[in-house]
Amino acid sequence: MDHLKENILNCLKNLKGSGKFLSVHTSAFQFPGLEVNGVGEIAYPVNEMQAKALIQVAQKAPFGKGGETFVDSVVRSTNEIDASQLTFSGNRWSAFLDKIISKIKPDLGLEDYTISAHLYKMLIYEKSDFFLPHKDSEKEKGMFGTLVISLPAKHTGGELVVSFEGLNEVADFADDSGDYKISYAAFYADCDHEIKPITSGYRICLLYNLVQQKSGKNIQLASVETNAAQ
């Protein structure tokens, strides 16, 4: 996996000035049919009562450092629910995920690769919650990036800021948070990123690991010059 990470970093350097280390989109609402153990099926937009119920069955989210994990509210303040506690009815959400992948692949230069999204956590941010700048650790074999899907839940603040080589890109889900829309962002795990403090409401997201399926070649991103010539 060290070789894969090295390839990703080398290719990201070619993208300086392009912003293609981050893909951000908003889609029409797709009912997830999501049930949470101990809470039941979630209605949308998620209201304060439901958000508090989710926090009751959640745990404080840790962060990784040097191969270890820690819980420290000075670095990260949010609550998480493990994927094992989440279930989806029917296949509508799975089909929606396929559409998301088809959207993010061209943005990230991955048209020639087979990738999948594996559910990892639900994150529930309440007022004043945040996550300082960090890089995502490798959660499973083949993981190269992260997909964040924001479920409709009214909030302000909580911007996702992704940085690479001095460039900053922002994904702000707050504008569509109270509407029946679903916003999502995908980025490479080797990019620094942070969650700005929530100033009101609840930011509720599904976190997925982006994983490269078995292939004869590792992920390599085209340079800006190559893209411009096509």
Side-chain angles (χ1 to χ4, degrees), residues 5 64 69 120 134-140 143 146 189 209:
K5 287 185 176 181
T69 57
Y120 180 58
H134 62 286
K135 288 183 174 70
D136 282 342
S137 59
E138 182 185 356
K139 312 290 193 313
E140 58 181 297
M143 177 183 168
T146 298
N209 299 328

Side-chain angles (χ1 to χ4, degrees), residues 71-175:
V71 174
D72 186 347
S73 60
V74 174
V75 176
R76 185 185 194 187
S77 177
T78 187
N79 294 280
E80 67 176 26
I81 299 174
D82 192 75
S84 63
Q85 306 302 305
L86 310 174
T87 56
F88 297 85
S89 60
N91 59 6
R92 290 172 296 178
W93 188 251
S94 178
F96 182 62
L97 274 179
D98 290 341
K99 292 180 180 179
I100 287 177
I101 290 174
S102 70
K103 282 278 192 180
I104 66 175
K105 285 177 67 175
D107 290 348
L108 299 179
L110 301 175
E111 297 97 322
D112 297 331
Y113 297 88
T114 301
I115 66 174
S116 58
H118 299 173
L119 182 61
Y120 180 58
K121 304 281 185 182
M122 171 186 275
L123 299 178
I124 308 101
Y125 289 81
E126 57 184 327
K127 186 177 180 181
S128 300
D129 280 350
F130 65 95
F131 197 174
L132 294 182
H134 62 286
K135 288 183 174 70
D136 282 342
S137 59
E138 182 185 356
K139 312 290 193 313
E140 58 181 297
K141 185 178 180 179
M143 177 183 168
F144 69 90
T146 298
L147 170 66
V148 183
I149 302 179
S150 178
L151 299 177
K154 190 173 182 180
H155 68 275
T156 57
E159 300 89 349
L160 166 65
V161 182
V162 183
S163 306
F164 180 75
E165 295 281 298
L167 291 173
N168 294 319
E169 297 286 337
V170 179
D172 187 355
F173 301 147
D175 287 345

